[in-house]
Amino acid sequence: MPTPRLSDELALEAARVYAAEGHGGYRTLGLQRTTFLSRVDVARRRGLLDPRPSAVADAITNRESTRRGFSPEHDMTHVVPDGYLVKGVSTYYNKEGKAAGQWVKSTLDRERMEAIVRAELEVLSQSIRGLAPLTPAPARSFADILAVYPFGDPHVGLYAWAKEAGDDFDLDIGRRLTTGAVDRLVSSAPAAQTAVLLLLGDVFHANDQRNVTPGHGHQLDVDSRFVRVLQVGIETYRHAILRALEKHQSVIVKCIPGNHDPQAIWSLAFTLSAYFANEPRVLVDLDPSKFWYYRFGKVLIGSTHGDTAKHEQLGPIMATDRAEDWGATRHRYWYTGHVHHINVKEFPGVICESFRTLAAKDAYAAGHGYRAGRDMTCIVHHREHGEIERHRCDVAMVDA
Ligand SMILES: [Mn+2]
């Protein structure tokens, strides 16, 4: 025997209680929870009342009530459903001259309907949020050149007080400087087919919430909570990758472990790798070695933080680790961090260079007399001729 049809009154009553009290409303009506929710659902399907609060829910209700032809919330003269326009009104006057009836012709507001459907899609696609949006590839790029963006010791999470250390620095300042410098350098760099985002180590100032260096336990000045530091770091480098994808066909990301963040760096590397798993134009290199190499034609680049080997040792290390690449290349470079200042020296067969940072000095560095400048560069290599140009963004240019 089929279930008798639920009356509109009972359905409406359930929907009103649901709107006021939510799922717990079944107690007020003395119903079973499942009976209560099924009555709410019947009310919703009949277009009687939609207790869901969002505009998207309203849009769905409006479309459903179009099909059902019944929407008591909309009298069509004063209140028209979202997404509709009143096209015409005819009023019937009786013998006494009083309005006795009215016909309303409505039509779809196309623009508004499109906005509603877009809002709906936005909500529906939230379940796949977290995947990288695919950035359109650049129209053309040059296969014979390579753009390397070294990020010298970013120290995300470092806190510096200008009165004590010379300049203010915190999470928000660091993010602004890095994303600003990246924006500027990506726009000034040529459209090399491949870009390398080379994070030279000490991306994070602290390795965890203990806020000490993991090696020697030196106390660190840190801006706020470790989880927030990780979050800002991930957002900053996600921005850098997305921006690089606008200019370059392929983006290689290498996060070198530093002495400040030997474990924390992997949170960043694996998060970026997962975030861009769907983007074939991004490769996040997850090789755990302290020394990293990249071959581009007759160019061989090595990178390490610099806390475990001095520049003098790097040539022989490269020749040992990459003997065949050493023999097949003519232009060899080491890019390192750690010392926070420029130091370039040519050794037989290889040029070793350390980079500045965009981060301010902390109280320790300021107190120990360090006074290096702050900038970021993009180095351009030709596959036959090695370095052919470089672009520089001084820290002061970001806010200029
Ligand atoms: Mn450092």
Side-chain angles (χ1 to χ4, degrees):
M1 195 180 132
T3 315
R5 185 186 149 88
L6 181 73
S7 74
D8 281 349
E9 287 71 30
L10 288 177
L12 195 54
E13 179 189 46
R16 284 191 175 132
V17 171
Y18 179 81
E21 301 173 31
H23 284 222
Y26 69 94
R27 295 189 201 93
T28 305
L29 293 176
L31 295 170
Q32 291 288 324
R33 192 168 183 276
T34 48
T35 309
F36 171 67
L37 291 176
S38 89
R39 286 185 184 183
V40 172
D41 196 45
V42 168
R44 180 182 297 150
R45 279 189 278 115
R46 288 181 193 170
L48 294 172
L49 185 74
D50 196 323
R52 289 172 292 177
S54 74
V56 171
D58 288 344
I60 294 166
T61 306
N62 290 334
R63 287 192 315 163
E64 285 177 354
S65 57
T66 312
R67 289 198 295 271
R68 312 262 162 199
F70 180 45
S71 178
E73 297 145 87
H74 304 105
D75 66 7
M76 300 306 284
T77 50
H78 302 98
V79 187
V80 181
D82 195 14
Y84 286 79
L85 293 169
V86 172
K87 200 167 77 174
V89 177
S90 314
T91 307
Y92 166 69
Y93 295 94
N94 64 16
K95 286 175 203 157
E96 287 81 40
K98 286 189 173 170
Q102 196 171 59
W103 290 262
V104 181
K105 290 177 183 175
S106 61
T107 184
L108 288 176
D109 178 345
R110 298 279 168 201
E111 262 180 44
R112 182 60 193 144
M113 279 304 288
E114 186 183 329
I116 291 168
V117 171
R118 283 186 187 282
E120 257 184 76
L121 288 174
E122 174 73 28
V123 170
L124 293 175
S125 63
Q126 278 175 1
S127 58
I128 53 166
R129 195 165 48 182
L131 293 179
L134 294 184
T135 309
R140 62 192 294 240
S141 59
F142 305 103
D144 286 338
I145 53 172
L146 171 79
V148 182
Y149 298 83
F151 292 78
D153 291 58
H155 284 267
V156 176
L158 180 152
Y159 176 77
W161 181 31
K163 283 186 179 175
E164 184 182 28
D167 291 300
D168 286 315
F169 195 79
D170 58 24
L171 278 174
D172 294 329
I173 295 171
R175 168 166 33 196
R176 195 184 75 240
L177 294 179
T178 301
T179 55
V182 165
D183 290 351
R184 186 173 185 98
L185 290 170
V186 168
S187 74
S188 69
Q193 194 171 78
T194 303
V196 177
L197 305 191
L198 182 54
L199 282 55
L200 290 172
D202 289 2
V203 170
F204 296 108
H205 189 47
N207 199 46
D208 54 39
Q209 191 67 65
R210 289 180 302 159
N211 298 340
V212 295
T213 56
H216 299 96
H218 294 142
Q219 185 246 314
L220 298 167
D221 302 331
V222 173
D223 177 22
S224 88
R225 306 293 299 161
F226 184 68
V227 173
R228 183 159 180 263
V229 172
L230 283 183
Q231 185 187 332
V232 170
I234 289 163
E235 288 169 358
T236 302
Y237 293 96
R238 180 183 62 189
H239 171 98
I241 295 169
L242 288 170
R243 183 45 53 90
L245 280 171
E246 294 171 8
K247 187 88 174 234
H248 307 288
Q249 179 66 37
S250 304
V251 176
I252 294 168
V253 182
K254 180 59 197 174
C255 307
I256 303 277
N259 56 309
H260 279 248
D261 62 353
Q263 284 82 42
I265 189 64
W266 296 106
S267 310
L268 175 69
F270 280 101
T271 302
L272 293 176
S273 175
Y275 184 80
F276 288 98
N278 212 29
E279 172 55 272
R281 299 200 292 123
V282 173
L283 173 71
V284 180
D285 188 320
L286 296 171
D287 185 327
S289 168
K290 277 288 272 188
F291 299 90
W292 179 80
Y293 302 96
Y294 185 75
R295 166 96 182 267
F296 178 67
K298 291 187 176 163
V299 177
L300 180 60
I301 295 168
S303 186
T304 190
H305 181 56
D307 55 320
T308 55
K310 301 229 173 290
H311 278 177
E312 292 74 14
Q313 302 164 263
L314 294 178
I317 290 174
M318 178 184 268
T320 307
D321 289 353
R322 289 289 185 273
E324 288 176 11
D325 287 329
W326 180 283
T329 54
R330 295 186 60 80
H331 310 279
R332 306 177 201 93
Y333 306 88
W334 273 100
Y335 296 146
T336 65
H338 194 50
V339 294
H340 297 210
H341 61 258
I342 297 173
N343 182 20
V344 193
K345 190 166 182 193
E346 182 166 9
F347 298 92
V350 69
I351 295 171
C352 298
E353 176 169 3
S354 63
F355 290 83
R356 288 171 166 176
T357 166
L358 286 167
K361 296 174 291 293
D362 59 9
Y364 175 90
H368 283 73
Y370 296 104
R371 294 293 182 268
R374 298 160 62 187
D375 64 18
M376 181 176 164
T377 53
C378 169
I379 302 166
V380 181
H381 291 279
H382 188 279
R383 66 165 65 247
E384 291 289 323
H385 311 300
E387 180 179 334
I388 52 171
E389 66 184 68
R390 67 169 65 194
H391 300 251
R392 177 176 172 268
C393 180
D394 191 83
V395 67
M397 292 164 76
V398 175
D399 291 327

